[in-house]
């Protein structure tokens, strides 16, 4: 039996069937894979936090090497001594703190509400470090990361990531040579929390000068670089009350 | 070729050279400009498009007699979008690292005019096997150009291939850089891709004059 595919009723029925079929295939797929995807995302967050803390498999000349996902959960329990949330000027322990969505909390904070800001305490070379999550805007989309600071407000390690920065340009913020430059830089300038700026004019491509609160920018990624500077500033603004409590005077 | 008849083999080979979607038909230029600053990104994009094109052409070819012509473009779009989401979700679950590299390009694959072009021009009027070959062939032709552009842009723009330095260290001035060579920052920005495509088109047409259109 030949079907008349030009009839309006046929078109409508075809469209309905197609939408139902495609919709159910996608829904089935999404629900079937969601546990696995959520697990991957959780592992990634743990890897990122540990990376900033210096727990990674980097060798002197390698790129960014996280610890394997098979051991990340145990390592995270082991290395992160305590997970806190900073609420209303008070530090509370919360062992699910790493699952907090910082983007939402920063929004709450902006609106003057009661934000829950996660903090992770660990150790590096025998001294306590605090890992703070960061969230900001790049050129095309979100950028985020983690920053480990010690009690002198000196950065002990960072990790940056991005959703959609340009490959070969803004996307470089997640490469090791860029992130490594932040280590050793101070968040304090004079007495104030100025953060670390990604600078096109610091004339210090090897980043030998750790006193200038600046790291060398990436060619062709001005806006992403500015986004990183702004993100660090925003994080400091949000976490300043907490940092004051741990800072060595 | 024993497995494919000559006619079928041409479906794969033609788009690689004399009927290349980028250099001859000038389709898919947008993604060729946007993502070729690095060789790795070019390769990932090429592989994803090969998958989506191959499967997409088969699906459209299977449905070619039941798709109402009035809404065929929408039906084609749904097929591409579905395939891309399936790829994205499966990668997220089983190859998380790769999926993060790919995430940027998902939208670009859906809008790739080569895909819609082949659905419309070929799969709607041809059998499943031939459509599959046509899809693979065109995606390969697209991928080859992408990889060539990515190779030159990454090499000349950053001095690396797949992120590995091949010309020495530009900051410590070793290798080529010790004799005064500099990376060309222009190569990293999209206009450079247009120039590389232009050069490829020039080389190709000067080798095969039959490809030059009448003015």
């Amino acid at each position: 039996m030949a079907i008349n595919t030009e009839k309006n009723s046929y078109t409508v029925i075809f469209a309905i069937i197609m939408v139902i079929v495609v919709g159910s295939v996608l829904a089935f797929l999404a629900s079937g894979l969601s546990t696995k995807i959520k697990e991957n995302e959780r592992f990634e967050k743990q890897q990122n936090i540990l990376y900033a803390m210096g727990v990674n498999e980097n060798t002197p000349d390698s790129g960014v090497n996280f610890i394997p996902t098979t051991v990340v959960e145990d390592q995270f329990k082991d290395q992160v001594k305590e997970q806190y949330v900073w609420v209303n000027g008070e530090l509370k322990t919360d062992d699910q703190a790493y699952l907090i969505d910082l983007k939402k909390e920063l929004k709450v904070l902006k609106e003057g509400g009661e934000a829950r800001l996660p903090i992770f305490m660990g150790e590096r070379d025998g001294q306590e470090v605090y890992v703070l999550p960061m969230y900001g805007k790049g050129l095309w989309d979100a950028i985020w990361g983690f920053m480990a600071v010690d009690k002198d407000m000196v950065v002990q390690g960072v990790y940056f990531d991005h959703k959609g920065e340009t490959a070969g340009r803004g996307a470089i913020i997640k490469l090791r040579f860029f992130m490594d430059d932040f280590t050793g830089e101070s968040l304090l300038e004079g007495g104030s929390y100025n953060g670390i700026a990604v600078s096109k004019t610091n004339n210090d491509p090897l980043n030998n000068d750790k006193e200038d609160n600046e790291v060398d920018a990436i060619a062709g990624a001005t806006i992403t670089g500015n986004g990183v500077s702004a993100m660090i500033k925003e994080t400091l603004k949000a976490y300043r009350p907490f940092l004051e409590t741990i800072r060595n005077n | 070729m024993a497995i494919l008849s000559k006619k079928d083999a041409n479906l794969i080979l033609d788009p690689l050279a004399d009927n290349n979607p980028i250099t001859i038909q000038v389709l898919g230029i947008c993604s060729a400009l946007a993502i070729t600053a690095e060789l790795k990104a070019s390769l990932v994009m090429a592989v994803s498009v090969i998958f989506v094109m191959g499967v997409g052409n088969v699906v459209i070819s299977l449905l070619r007699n039941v798709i109402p012509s009035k809404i065929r473009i929408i039906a084609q779009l749904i097929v591409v979008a579905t395939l891309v989401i399936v790829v994205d979700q499966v990668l997220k679950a089983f190859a998380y690292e790769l999926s993060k590299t790919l995430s940027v390009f998902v939208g670009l694959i859906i809008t790739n005019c080569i895909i819609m072009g082949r659905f419309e021009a070929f799969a709607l009027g041809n059998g499943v096997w031939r459509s599959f070959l046509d899809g693979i062939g065109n995606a390969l032709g697209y991928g080859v150009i992408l990889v060539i552009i990515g190779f030159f842009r990454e090499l000349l723009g950053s001095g690396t291939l797949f992120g590995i330095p091949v010309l020495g260290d530009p900051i410590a001035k070793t290798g080529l850089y010790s004799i005064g060579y500099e990376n060309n920052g222009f190569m990293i920005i999209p206009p450079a891709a247009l120039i590389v495509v232009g050069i490829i088109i020039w080389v190709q047409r000067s080798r095969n004059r039959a490809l030059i259109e009448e003015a």
Side-chain angles (χ1 to χ4, degrees):
Chain A
M1 182 188 84
I3 326 162
N4 178 8
T5 58
E6 294 305 318
K7 262 165 66 180
N8 281 345
S9 55
Y10 177 82
T11 306
V12 171
I13 291 167
F14 181 88
I16 292 171
I17 291 176
M18 185 148 196
V19 167
I20 291 172
V21 169
V22 167
S24 20
V25 166
L26 290 182
F28 179 75
L29 195 76
S31 62
L33 295 176
S34 76
T35 17
K36 190 95 181 96
I37 292 175
K38 282 225 173 79
E39 186 183 80
N40 283 336
E41 285 168 357
R42 205 175 71 227
F43 286 165
E44 188 197 8
K45 234 172 168 180
Q46 294 178 337
Q47 283 177 323
N48 292 172
I49 293 169
L50 289 173
Y51 185 92
M53 222 178 251
V55 183
N56 51 48
E57 299 202 332
N58 285 356
T59 55
D61 288 323
S62 74
V64 171
N65 286 325
F66 297 118
I67 55 171
T69 46
T70 43
V71 299
V72 71
E73 207 132 29
D74 291 336
Q75 281 282 317
F76 191 76
K77 273 194 201 121
D78 231 35
Q79 304 278 352
V80 177
K81 304 289 177 220
E82 203 74 73
Q83 297 186 54
Y84 298 109
V85 278
W86 180 259
V87 197
N88 251 352
E90 262 181 84
L91 201 58
K92 294 176 184 157
T93 54
D94 178 349
D95 56 4
Q96 297 292 313
Y98 74 102
L99 295 175
I100 290 174
D101 183 356
L102 187 69
K103 182 185 172 189
K104 281 188 200 146
E105 300 302 325
L106 288 178
K107 206 175 153 211
V108 172
L109 193 69
K110 230 178 206 153
E111 288 160 359
E114 206 172 273
R116 299 170 71 234
L117 301 172
I119 296 151
F120 314 95
M121 189 188 81
E123 257 175 34
R124 189 168 189 175
D125 306 328
Q127 63 161 338
E128 280 174 8
V129 294
Y130 296 86
V131 178
L132 314 177
M134 304 180 279
Y135 187 89
K137 274 201 255 354
L139 169 60
W140 304 114
D141 213 318
I143 54 175
W144 62 92
F146 295 92
M147 174 168 64
V149 292
D150 66 7
K151 291 183 166 180
D152 298 318
M153 300 296 117
V154 173
V155 173
Q156 297 299 316
V158 292
Y159 179 75
F160 295 123
D161 206 343
H162 63 92
K163 189 163 176 205
E165 298 308 294
T166 318
R169 301 163 76 195
I172 286 178
I173 61 168
K174 67 181 290 190
L175 295 190
R176 192 173 158 199
F177 77 89
F178 180 72
M179 299 195 284
D180 279 359
D181 280 357
F182 287 79
T183 308
E185 294 277 351
S186 173
L187 296 171
L188 296 174
E189 197 169 12
S192 60
Y193 290 82
N194 266 357
I196 300 164
V198 176
S199 163
K200 297 208 281 186
T201 53
N202 75 340
N203 215 358
D204 179 23
L206 292 174
N207 199 43
N208 294 320
D209 183 358
K210 294 287 184 191
E211 305 295 319
D212 59 356
N213 293 68
E214 283 180 348
V215 297
D216 198 44
I218 303 157
T222 308
I223 295 175
T224 311
N226 291 347
V228 170
S229 310
M231 175 168 78
I232 294 175
K233 266 214 155 99
E234 281 296 310
T235 310
L236 284 178
K237 214 165 100 190
Y239 278 92
R240 181 167 176 174
F242 164 73
L243 292 172
E244 292 284 355
T245 66
I246 58 158
R247 184 174 154 193
N248 271 347
N249 286 310
Chain B
M1 253 194 265
I3 322 164
L4 301 171
S5 68
K6 195 163 183 299
K7 222 170 132 194
D8 283 353
N10 279 343
L11 285 176
I12 295 231
L13 297 178
D14 261 3
L16 285 178
D18 289 351
N19 199 12
N20 189 287
I22 295 185
T23 62
I24 306 297
Q25 301 170 22
V26 201
L27 290 174
I29 284 286
C30 8
S31 50
L33 301 190
I35 56 123
T36 49
E38 279 179 328
L39 192 50
K40 188 177 150 206
S42 311
L43 204 65
V44 172
M45 183 68 168
V47 172
S48 329
V49 169
I50 290 173
F51 174 83
V52 173
M53 276 256 37
V55 180
N57 252 8
V58 167
V59 173
I60 292 292
S61 173
L62 282 171
L63 294 176
R64 69 184 187 278
N65 292 326
V66 293
I67 296 178
S69 61
K70 278 179 243 171
I71 58 164
R72 66 180 195 284
I73 300 284
I74 299 173
Q76 291 162 10
L77 259 181
I78 291 175
V79 170
V80 192
T82 311
L83 283 172
V84 170
I85 296 169
V86 168
V87 175
D88 186 49
Q89 293 281 312
V90 169
L91 284 179
K92 262 193 188 142
F94 300 107
Y96 193 68
E97 273 308 299
L98 189 64
S99 84
K100 291 195 68 182
T101 324
L102 190 72
S103 67
V104 195
F105 311 133
V106 169
L108 280 172
I109 296 175
I110 299 176
T111 58
N112 192 321
C113 25
I114 298 174
I115 297 181
M116 293 294 283
R118 293 327 290 174
F119 284 3
E120 183 76 8
F122 200 92
L124 273 179
N126 285 282
V128 173
W129 175 239
R130 284 172 55 79
S131 297
F132 175 71
L133 293 178
D134 178 78
I136 299 288
N138 275 282
L140 276 175
Y142 167 78
V144 165
I145 301 295
L146 233 58
V147 169
I148 294 175
I149 304 172
F151 174 85
F152 284 111
R153 286 182 69 192
E154 189 176 347
L155 183 70
L156 301 176
S158 315
T160 60
L161 287 175
F162 289 111
I164 302 159
V166 288
L167 300 179
D169 188 333
I171 295 169
K173 300 272 177 229
T174 60
L176 260 186
Y177 300 99
S178 61
I179 53 171
Y181 175 81
E182 291 282 350
N183 282 333
N184 186 349
F186 175 66
M187 291 305 284
I188 319 177
I189 59 176
L194 206 56
I195 291 174
V196 178
V197 175
I199 293 173
I200 296 173
I201 292 177
W202 177 28
V203 170
Q204 193 183 12
R205 286 177 204 217
S206 67
R207 288 169 58 98
N208 182 356
R209 298 202 155 258
L211 296 174
I212 301 171
E213 294 92 351
E214 297 283 325

